[in-house]
Amino acid sequence: MLTTVIAVIITLVIAVPVSVICGINHHKKLEEEKIGDANTKARAIIDDALKNAEATKREASLAVKEETIKAKNEFEKETKERRAELQRYEKRVLGKEEAIERKSDALDRKEASLASRESNLNRQKAEVEKLQAKHLQELERISGLTSEQAKEYLLTMVEDDVKHETAVMIKEMTTKAKEEASKKAKEYVVTAIQKCAADHVAETTISLVQLPNDEMKGRIIGREGRNIRTLETMTGVDLIIDDTPEAVILSSFDPVRREIARIALEKLIVDGRIHPARIEEMVEKATKEVEAMMREEGEAATLEVGVHGIHPELVRLLGKMKFRTSYGQNALKHSIEVAQLSGLLAAEIGVDIRMAKRAGLLHDIGKSIDHEIEGSHIQIGVDLCRRYKESPIVINAVESHHGDSEPQSLIACIVQAADTISAARPGARRETLESYTTRLKQLEDIANSYKGVDKTFAIQAGREIRVMVVPEQVSDSDMIILARDISKQIEAELEYPGQIKVNVIRESRATDYAK
């Protein structure tokens, strides 16, 4: 039994390696067969790849040859087309050169023809000039006028025609403008005047102080005249004590000083104690009273007109204008009236009413101190308004209300019109005889300075001037231009209230005698 087992074991020991070796050999044989097959397949694949590469190479070579042949054909075709196009261009250039040569030949022929014509024209021109000279000599012989005289005659005729047409045009335009503006202007002015009512006080350069009795004159004079001298020195007013019963006259061109003297003298008369110390005291009180009065009057004027925000110094100067007159018209009352008129006109036109009233109230502010400072009341007023920061509209209205500068706003034009209305109203102002006669003489001198004027007459208190012209020297057309020129010169050189009518009269008379 043991022997059998050992035999089996030995058999197994011998059989297992043998089987392993046999298996290894078999597997190796299989692997070699697989390797041989793979090599065979690889050689087959390589052969196929070589065959495909040869075929692809042949195909690429054929494609390149085809592309080369195609490009060569296209290049030859393009070359032929360009060559044909160049030949066409050459033909066109040759044709143009031939045309230019033909045109050049034609121009040469035209130049030769023009030169020939120019020579002919020069000959004809010389002949025409000779004929013109001959005809001119013949015309001068027939007419009896030289060429210069004929030119002068023709220019005179043309000038007369132009004058006539100008006069007709001026007349038509003036008539049209008057027709369009007259209705509205009259309506505005009449409405403004109807709505404005103001009292006017005519003052002179003297004031009269009533005395309780004639004995008071001696007390006013004082011992050796010391009282009257003190009063005159303190006030700057002349006291005239004459034979006028129970009255003393105060004379001064400064209305403020005259008012101070009047108040002081009346206080001294009521007090009864008249001596230099008392006079000084009363003059000082009267000065303060007048200053207060001026401020009150200025404030009352601004309240009456409805203007606020005016500088206190301008308000004081407005009140000072109560004692100032212009041709007998109270300056403060005139300013209030101009302010009211300006407001009414501004309301009618549709502009700023308050600004118009302000400009109208301040337009104559320079008159309050024009006797203290050199210069016209216009320039003084402009300086005052600038100093106290008034608006440019008010300054321009003050500067232009007498036409010294151009109005820059409707308000300036309104103030100018209102000032004229207030001053020109009958009874508002009175003139001295000297200024009145001077103005009449200036009117006549202006009209007499024009050629063709025979006589001039200033009538209607200087509101109208009649100009008689020589009919042989001034035609009907010249009359219109002459009237316009005279009116413009009057506007430029004279100052006057309202308007002046210029009436040019041309009268022709024929006289004969029956024998």
Side-chain angles (χ1 to χ4, degrees):
M1 192 68 184
L2 180 60
T3 307
T4 303
V5 173
I6 295 169
V8 173
I9 294 170
I10 294 170
T11 301
L12 289 172
V13 170
I14 296 170
V16 169
V18 172
S19 62
V20 170
I21 293 169
C22 290
I24 292 171
N25 290 330
H26 181 71
H27 181 72
K28 184 176 180 181
K29 186 178 181 180
L30 291 176
E31 289 291 331
E32 289 178 352
E33 289 178 357
K34 288 181 179 179
I35 291 171
D37 293 338
N39 290 332
T40 302
K41 289 180 179 179
R43 283 194 297 272
I45 290 169
I46 291 170
D47 293 337
D48 292 338
L50 291 174
K51 291 178 182 178
N52 291 334
E54 287 291 334
T56 304
K57 183 178 179 181
R58 286 194 300 270
E59 289 176 359
S61 177
L62 291 173
V64 168
K65 288 181 179 178
E66 289 178 359
E67 289 293 331
T68 303
I69 293 169
K70 184 177 179 182
K72 184 177 179 181
N73 293 333
E74 289 179 354
F75 176 73
E76 290 177 354
K77 183 180 179 181
E78 185 178 354
T79 303
K80 288 179 182 179
E81 290 177 355
R82 288 188 178 180
R83 189 178 294 114
E85 188 175 357
L86 287 174
Q87 290 175 355
R88 289 196 298 272
Y89 284 155
E90 286 177 358
K91 290 181 181 179
R92 288 175 61 186
V93 169
L94 291 174
K96 288 184 178 180
E97 287 180 353
E98 292 175 357
I100 290 171
E101 289 178 356
R102 289 194 297 273
K103 288 181 179 180
S104 177
D105 295 338
L107 287 174
D108 291 337
R109 291 193 296 272
K110 285 183 179 180
E111 286 181 359
S113 175
L114 288 173
S116 175
R117 288 183 182 181
E118 186 176 359
S119 62
N120 292 331
L121 286 174
N122 289 332
R123 288 195 301 271
Q124 291 177 2
K125 185 176 180 182
E127 293 176 0
V128 168
E129 289 177 352
K130 290 179 181 179
L131 289 173
Q132 284 181 345
K134 186 177 179 180
H135 290 166
L136 185 59
Q137 292 175 358
E138 187 67 19
L139 286 173
E140 290 179 354
R141 186 185 65 79
I142 294 172
S143 63
L145 297 173
T146 63
S147 59
E148 294 297 329
Q149 291 174 341
K151 287 180 183 178
E152 185 176 355
Y153 176 72
L154 181 61
L155 289 174
T156 303
M157 291 180 63
V158 172
E159 184 179 358
D160 291 340
D161 291 340
V162 171
K163 278 186 178 180
H164 176 70
E165 292 178 1
T166 304
V168 171
M169 186 180 296
I170 290 173
K171 188 174 181 180
E172 290 178 354
M173 293 177 67
T174 304
T175 302
K176 185 178 179 180
K178 286 181 178 178
E179 288 176 355
E180 292 177 353
S182 178
K183 184 176 180 180
K184 279 292 179 185
K186 287 180 180 178
E187 181 181 347
Y188 292 163
V189 171
V190 169
T191 303
I193 292 176
Q194 286 176 345
K195 291 182 179 179
C196 180
D199 296 330
H200 296 271
V201 179
E203 297 184 0
T204 61
T205 58
I206 62 172
S207 296
L208 189 67
V209 178
Q210 296 293 334
L211 302 178
N213 50 60
D214 287 337
E215 295 179 0
M216 187 61 69
K217 291 182 180 179
R219 297 178 62 185
I220 292 173
I221 295 172
R223 185 180 300 175
E224 298 177 357
R226 62 178 184 175
N227 291 344
I228 192 172
R229 282 197 304 272
T230 302
L231 189 57
E232 288 179 345
T233 301
M234 293 292 298
T235 59
V237 175
D238 294 330
L239 271 71
I240 302 174
I241 301 176
D242 52 14
D243 296 335
T244 306
E246 299 180 355
V248 173
I249 297 174
L250 306 177
S251 176
S252 175
F253 287 99
D254 187 340
V256 176
R257 290 188 300 188
R258 195 170 66 246
E259 181 68 12
I260 292 173
R262 185 186 67 79
I263 294 173
L265 187 56
E266 288 180 351
K267 289 181 178 293
L268 288 169
I269 292 170
V270 172
D271 185 62
R273 295 174 292 172
I274 303 176
H275 51 81
R278 190 63 176 172
I279 290 172
E280 291 181 6
E281 182 182 350
M282 290 300 178
V283 168
E284 185 178 353
K285 288 183 179 180
T287 302
K288 292 181 180 179
E289 186 175 335
V290 170
E291 284 289 332
M293 187 187 303
M294 287 191 295
R295 293 189 181 278
E296 290 174 1
E297 290 292 336
E299 292 172 358
T302 58
L303 290 174
E304 181 178 350
V305 177
V307 176
H308 307 288
I310 298 178
H311 193 277
E313 183 60 22
L314 289 180
V315 174
R316 188 186 73 83
L317 294 177
L318 274 175
K320 192 174 182 180
M321 289 170 64
K322 178 185 179 181
F323 305 105
R324 176 76 159 79
T325 59
S326 177
Y327 297 102
Q329 187 180 25
N330 185 271
L332 180 58
K333 296 294 184 182
H334 167 65
S335 296
I336 293 173
E337 184 176 3
V338 170
Q340 299 285 16
L341 289 170
S342 299
L344 295 171
L345 292 172
E348 294 289 339
I349 296 175
V351 297
D352 191 344
I353 299 175
R354 291 187 178 180
M355 186 61 70
K357 285 185 175 182
R358 191 184 193 95
L361 186 63
L362 296 175
H363 80 285
D364 270 346
I365 191 67
K367 288 185 177 180
S368 61
I369 56 173
D370 61 350
H371 57 283
E372 301 173 5
I373 301 175
E374 292 184 359
S376 66
H377 75 280
I378 295 174
Q379 188 58 46
I380 296 171
V382 170
D383 294 340
L384 286 173
C385 291
R386 284 177 179 162
R387 184 187 308 166
Y388 296 111
K389 310 299 182 184
E390 285 295 328
S391 68
I393 296 176
V394 174
I395 293 172
N396 176 250
V398 174
E399 190 175 14
S400 63
H401 77 275
H402 279 320
D404 294 335
S405 63
E406 289 296 326
Q408 297 176 0
S409 63
L410 278 177
I411 290 178
C413 298
I414 288 172
V415 171
Q416 191 174 11
D419 181 55
T420 304
I421 293 170
S422 175
R425 183 174 53 79
R429 292 188 174 185
R430 55 181 174 79
E431 293 181 295
T432 63
L433 178 61
E434 182 179 358
S435 62
Y436 171 73
T437 55
T438 301
R439 182 155 60 85
L440 296 186
K441 185 177 182 302
Q442 288 175 339
L443 282 174
E444 293 183 354
D445 290 342
I446 289 174
N448 286 328
S449 65
Y450 287 86
K451 182 181 177 181
V453 175
D454 184 19
K455 297 177 182 178
T456 57
F457 304 99
I459 60 176
Q460 298 290 335
R463 303 288 182 180
E464 179 181 352
I465 180 168
R466 292 187 179 179
V467 183
M468 311 293 291
V469 298
V470 180
E472 290 79 10
Q473 298 180 10
V474 181
S475 65
D476 290 339
S477 299
D478 294 335
M479 288 173 55
I480 299 173
I481 299 175
L482 179 63
R484 185 171 178 274
D485 291 342
I486 293 175
S487 63
K488 291 297 181 184
Q489 187 173 352
I490 291 173
E491 290 176 0
E493 296 182 5
L494 297 185
E495 292 185 3
Y496 51 89
Q499 63 182 10
I500 297 176
K501 179 180 179 182
V502 179
N503 195 0
V504 179
I505 301 172
R506 179 175 181 267
E507 185 179 35
S508 299
R509 295 185 182 182
T511 305
D512 199 358
Y513 295 94
K515 299 179 181 178

